[in-house]
């Protein structure tokens, strides 16, 4: 992993230099838009809606649209004049019970690694969080903008989770009027919960859609259903080998769980 940010966690008079790493990565299946007739990739141009001319990046500015539909153009200088925070500090504001924070507020997750000289104070903060069963509410400036976040412990590593601002959480605008359930219905619901009760293990779940797409692509490649276009990048066949290896890995994992390949 590559650190995306360096700074220090400060709580009281204790300062813990840390490196920040993204804790998650997306494995969503992505597709390119192509012309069905010949496989050519679809390209998009930056065209002005008024004069129809293609606009170079150097002439593109930021526009803020008002409720009336008017546009206020903000130049690069305007953006530089906005208040920003470039501090490298993750400042602990308070320690709060973990159950007081609605998971709906959580946004992105990052791992914090201590510098070699800060291993002991890092371990101290980690143990304090575990013993108190609390999260540390912090403020941090990521990408030049100050945000609220929390620190918690996961697998002996302190995790920084940025949070949405309260006004970014939407309120449901619908009502649910299903009437009060009967005692028999409640008992049956409890029975169903008890029947399906268990512990959560993330490895028990997999992205069936991504696996199915991968298998479909592999089958088409092995069947020779590959279109060569002038834009295609020459390959040495290694992609086919990689896809086959991935397919075998999926089959082995399923076999280990006693599932049919």
């Amino acid at each position: 992993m590559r650190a995306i940010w360096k700074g220090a966690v400060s709580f009281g008079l204790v300062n813990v230099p840390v490196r920040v790493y993204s804790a998650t990565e997306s494995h969503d299946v992505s597709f390119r838009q192509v012309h069905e007739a010949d496989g050519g990739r679809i390209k998009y141009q930056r065209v002005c809606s008024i004069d129809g001319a293609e606009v170079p990046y150097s002439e593109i500015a930021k526009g803020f649209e008002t409720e009336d539909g008017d546009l206020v153009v903000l130049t690069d200088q305007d953006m530089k004049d906005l208040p920003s925070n470039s501090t490298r500090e993750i400042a602990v504001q308070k320690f709060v019970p973990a159950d007081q924070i609605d998971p709906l507020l959580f946004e992105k997750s990052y791992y914090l690694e201590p510098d070699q000289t800060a291993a002991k104070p890092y371990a101290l903060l980690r143990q304090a969080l575990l013993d108190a069963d609390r999260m540390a509410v912090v403020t941090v400036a990521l990408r030049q903008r100050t945000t609220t976040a929390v620190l918690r412990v996961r697998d002996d590593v302190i995790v920084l989770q940025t949070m949405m601002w309260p006004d970014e959480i939407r309120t449901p605008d619908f009502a649910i009027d299903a009437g009060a359930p009967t005692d028999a219905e409640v008992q049956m619901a409890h029975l169903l919960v008890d029947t399906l009760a268990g512990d959560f293990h993330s490895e028990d779940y997999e992205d069936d859609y991504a696996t199915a797409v991968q298998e479909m692509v592999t089958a088409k490649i092995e069947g020779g259903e590959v279109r060569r276009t002038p834009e295609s990048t020459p390959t040495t066949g290694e992609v086919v080998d990689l896809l086959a290896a991935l397919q075998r890995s999926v089959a082995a994992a399923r076999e280990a769980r006693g599932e049919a390949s």
Side-chain angles (χ1 to χ4, degrees):
M1 294 190 295
R2 183 173 63 87
I4 64 170
W5 190 84
K6 292 183 179 181
V9 178
S10 64
F11 61 108
L13 299 178
V14 180
N15 198 60
V16 188
V18 294
R19 290 180 290 276
V20 179
Y21 303 87
S22 292
T24 60
E25 59 182 355
S26 175
H27 287 164
D28 285 348
V29 176
S30 60
F31 299 98
R32 292 186 180 275
Q33 290 189 320
V34 298
H35 187 194
E36 185 177 8
D38 55 20
R41 297 177 182 177
I42 304 300
K43 297 182 178 180
Y44 293 90
Q45 295 177 313
R46 301 173 300 277
V47 177
C48 176
S49 62
I50 296 178
D51 59 20
E54 186 173 358
V55 182
Y57 278 115
S58 59
E59 297 181 11
I60 295 179
K62 292 180 173 61
F64 183 88
E65 186 172 0
T66 68
E67 294 182 357
D68 297 331
D70 295 329
L71 281 176
V72 177
V73 178
L74 302 177
T75 65
D76 290 341
Q77 185 58 50
D78 292 330
M79 300 304 294
K80 290 180 180 179
D81 292 339
L82 291 175
S84 63
N85 193 336
S86 58
T87 179
R88 291 286 177 171
E89 183 183 43
I90 302 174
V92 176
Q93 305 298 320
K94 62 176 63 176
F95 294 92
V96 303
D99 59 3
Q100 286 188 358
I101 300 180
D102 188 341
L104 193 62
L105 288 167
F106 292 145
E107 191 173 18
K108 295 182 180 180
S109 302
Y110 303 90
Y111 291 133
L112 300 187
E113 179 191 28
D115 283 352
Q116 292 183 351
T117 58
K120 189 170 183 178
Y122 181 96
L124 174 64
L125 174 59
R126 179 183 62 197
Q127 193 62 47
L129 290 171
L130 288 173
D131 291 345
D133 191 24
R134 289 174 178 261
M135 294 184 181
V137 177
V138 303
T139 54
V140 58
L142 294 175
R143 298 178 181 86
Q144 303 299 314
R145 182 179 179 185
T146 301
T147 186
T148 303
V150 297
L151 301 181
R152 67 181 183 87
V153 180
R154 181 182 187 274
D155 296 336
D156 293 331
V157 176
I158 296 177
V159 176
L160 171 75
Q161 288 192 269
T162 58
M163 299 171 64
M164 309 286 287
W165 295 107
D167 61 359
E168 293 178 315
I169 302 300
R170 301 174 65 183
T171 300
D173 58 357
F174 55 85
I176 301 175
D177 184 14
T182 65
D183 291 343
E185 290 170 337
V186 172
Q187 291 179 3
M188 186 57 66
H190 289 171
L191 178 60
L192 177 60
V193 171
D194 292 339
T195 302
L196 297 177
D199 296 321
F200 176 75
H201 302 287
S202 59
E203 61 271 16
D204 293 341
Y205 303 89
E206 63 176 319
D207 188 349
D208 293 336
Y209 177 78
T211 301
V213 170
Q214 192 70 71
E215 293 174 348
M216 181 185 298
V217 171
T218 300
K220 285 183 175 290
I221 292 176
E222 293 176 346
E225 297 183 50
V226 179
R227 293 187 183 182
R228 289 293 176 190
T229 70
E231 298 173 336
S232 296
T233 302
T235 65
T236 60
E238 295 178 356
V239 173
V240 176
D241 295 338
L242 175 59
L243 292 173
L246 289 172
Q247 190 175 28
R248 288 194 298 270
S249 298
V250 171
R254 289 178 172 174
E255 184 177 356
R257 293 198 299 270
E259 300 177 5
S261 298

